[in-house]
Amino acid sequence: MDCFREIEGKQAHDPLFHRMNKPSRRVFVPGPIIVGAGPSGLAVAACLQEKGLPSMVLERSSCIASLWQLKTYDRLRLHLPKQFCELPLMGFPSEFPTYPTKEQFIDYLETYARKFEIRPRFNETVSHAEYDKVIGFWRVKTVGKRFEETEYMCRWLVAATGENAEAVVPEIDGTGEFGGDIRHTSYYKTGKEFTGKKVLVVGCGNSGMEVCLDLCNHSASPSLVVRDTVHVLPREILGKSTFGLSMWLLKWLPMRLVDRFLLIVSRLMLGDTARLGLDRPEKGPLEHKNGSGKTPVLDVGTLAKIKSGDVKVLSKLYHVSVCVCVSHHFLFCTLWHHMCVLKWILLCQTIVPFAFLDFISCVA
C-alpha cells in the first residue's frame, strides 16, 4: 500500500528509528487496533465491522471477557436488567431471565463475537504504545505467550480495557503472621470450601455483599468489614428495576429529587441501614456515583442476613491480629484498578486518534 511505502521511506531517513530496539516482527494494520476483548472491545469491533471497517483486537488473556470467565464467582448474575447490558446490534435471547447468569452472559458474548466474526489475537499483552507524529501512526508493542515481541502500526487506537482489570489488595499490618487463607474476591468461586468456617470479608460493595450471602448459604460464618459509607438500595421497587426507574425519572426530574425519592423508598423497604453499621454518604446515590464513581449496592438478600445476625458488620480494619479470633480466612472484595493504560501508553502533547472505553460508556 502507498501509505506503508511512504512510512518505510520516512523510517529509512529517521536516525531515531534506527537507534530503537527493533522487535522481532512488525505488522501494519489498516484499521483501528482495539486493546481488550471484553464487552467494550467486542462492541467497538462489531460496530466497525457493521460499517465495513476492519479492526484488530488484542487480548492479553486466552479468551474473550476474561474477567467474567476467569475472575468471577459462580453465583454472579448481572446486577442490572438485561436490556441495560446488551451490546449494540444484538440483544439478549428472549428466553434469558431478567438478570442473566454469569454463564448466560458469557454465552451471549461468545455468540456476539461469532456473529460479527471478531477473532481477537489472544495471549498478546500490550507493553508500550506511542503515537509517532512524524509518520502519523501509532506504534503498539506487544509481548506474546512465549515472550516474542511484535510491533503493530495503525492510525487509530482504542483502549477497551474496562473498569475492573487489576485487583486491589490493601496493605494491612499483620497479614504476614496470619495463618489463614488470604485472597482477593477474583479468586473466590463458591462458599462450599468455607462451610463451617469463619470468614472476614473486607469491602461492602456489590461483590462483598453478595459473597457474604453466598457464604451464609453454604453454612459459613462471614463478618463484613465496612471501611466507608455506602448506599444500599433495593434491586427492584414495586416490581420495577431500581436502575431503570431511576433512569426514567431522570428524564423528568433533577438528580437531587430522584435521589431523595430513592432514599425515601429505600428507608421504607430496607429500614435504617445506619443502625446496621452501614452509614450512607452525605450525597444521594446518583450524585455520589457521579462524583466519586462508587456504585450503589443493590441488595439481593444480604441485608436480611445482617438483620438476623448471620452476617456481622465490623468497622475499619487496621491490624490483622485484632481479628484472628474472628475469622479463619480473609476475602478482599475491594476495588479494582483500570487496566492501567498509563503503564503502557505514551501520549504526545497533541490531539491523537485515541479513545478509552469501558463497558458502561459503551452501552450507555
Side-chain angles (χ1 to χ4, degrees):
M1 297 177 68
D2 292 339
C3 63
F4 295 148
R5 290 176 184 172
E6 181 183 352
I7 292 170
E8 291 173 351
K10 290 180 179 180
Q11 289 175 346
H13 301 282
D14 184 3
L16 179 61
F17 174 77
H18 292 286
R19 289 199 298 268
M20 295 172 61
N21 294 324
K22 295 183 180 179
S24 59
R25 191 166 67 107
R26 181 172 294 109
V27 179
F28 292 99
V29 180
I33 285 181
I34 302 167
V35 183
S40 292
L42 297 178
V44 173
C47 290
L48 291 171
Q49 178 77 3
E50 188 72 7
K51 298 294 183 180
L53 300 173
S55 64
M56 176 183 289
V57 180
L58 301 176
E59 169 57 46
R60 65 175 180 173
S61 188
S62 59
C63 59
I64 66 169
S66 60
L67 180 64
W68 279 85
Q69 297 211 48
L70 307 177
K71 297 183 178 182
T72 52
Y73 43 90
D74 294 344
R75 65 160 285 143
L76 180 63
R77 289 176 173 265
L78 291 180
H79 290 138
L80 304 180
K82 60 183 180 181
Q83 65 266 28
F84 297 108
C85 301
E86 63 187 24
L87 301 189
L89 308 174
M90 190 182 105
F92 281 94
S94 58
E95 65 271 18
F96 275 23
T98 302
Y99 301 94
T101 64
K102 164 185 169 179
E103 291 75 16
Q104 288 172 326
F105 186 56
I106 293 171
D107 180 67
Y108 166 75
L109 294 176
E110 290 178 336
T111 303
Y112 189 88
R114 288 194 299 269
K115 177 179 178 179
F116 295 102
E117 299 180 346
I118 303 170
R119 301 180 182 88
R121 290 178 178 259
F122 295 116
N123 299 308
E124 291 215 36
T125 302
V126 175
S127 59
H128 184 80
E130 183 174 358
Y131 186 71
D132 192 326
K133 293 186 288 184
V134 176
I135 62 176
F137 270 64
W138 280 95
R139 299 179 184 272
V140 182
K141 295 182 181 181
T142 67
V143 179
K145 194 173 184 179
R146 299 180 179 178
F147 303 103
E148 68 277 13
E149 292 185 349
T150 304
E151 183 180 64
Y152 296 95
M153 301 186 71
C154 64
R155 288 191 179 277
W156 305 277
L157 178 63
V158 179
T161 50
E163 284 192 308
N164 305 318
E166 301 290 348
V168 177
V169 178
E171 294 184 5
I172 299 176
D173 292 339
T175 53
E177 293 76 33
F178 181 66
D181 182 30
I182 299 177
R183 69 176 74 173
H184 189 267
T185 184
S186 56
Y187 296 100
Y188 174 89
K189 295 300 179 182
T190 176
K192 288 181 181 179
E193 61 179 304
F194 299 101
T195 298
K197 299 178 180 179
K198 298 178 181 179
V199 184
L200 188 69
V201 179
V202 182
C204 60
N206 279 294
S207 294
M209 297 285 270
E210 192 164 3
V211 164
C212 282
L213 179 61
D214 189 52
L215 289 167
C216 286
N217 291 340
H218 287 93
S219 301
S221 301
S223 297
L224 179 66
V225 175
V226 180
R227 302 185 300 160
D228 204 352
T229 56
V230 59
H231 278 299
V232 182
L233 306 176
R235 186 169 69 170
E236 294 185 343
I237 297 175
L238 299 177
K240 300 293 183 181
S241 159
T242 300
F243 178 82
L245 182 59
S246 300
M247 294 303 100
W248 181 79
L249 288 173
L250 284 174
K251 295 179 180 180
W252 313 100
L253 300 172
M255 184 178 295
R256 289 189 178 183
L257 285 182
V258 178
D259 272 341
R260 188 174 300 176
F261 167 78
L262 292 175
L263 291 175
I264 291 174
V265 174
S266 297
R267 180 66 177 259
L268 292 174
M269 295 182 64
L270 304 177
D272 184 7
T273 58
R275 297 181 63 182
L276 303 175
L278 303 171
D279 294 323
R280 293 188 181 275
E282 293 182 3
K283 296 181 179 179
L286 300 180
E287 193 175 358
H288 187 64
K289 166 66 176 175
N290 276 358
S292 67
K294 294 183 179 180
T295 304
V297 171
L298 297 177
D299 180 51
V300 292
T302 310
L303 273 187
K305 296 294 184 181
I306 294 175
K307 292 176 181 178
S308 66
D310 293 323
V311 177
K312 297 179 175 60
V313 176
L314 305 176
S315 59
K316 295 180 180 180
L317 177 64
Y318 296 103
H319 197 285
V320 170
S321 62
V322 300
C323 295
V324 170
C325 60
V326 177
S327 63
H328 304 133
H329 304 274
F330 277 76
L331 281 174
F332 284 96
C333 299
T334 45
L335 296 175
W336 297 66
H337 280 317
H338 280 288
M339 162 65 181
C340 192
V341 176
L342 294 180
K343 289 182 180 178
W344 52 260
I345 194 167
L346 180 62
L347 292 174
C348 55
Q349 294 180 353
T350 184
I351 298 176
V352 295
F354 166 76
F356 178 78
L357 300 175
D358 57 45
F359 176 43
I360 296 175
S361 64
C362 189
V363 300

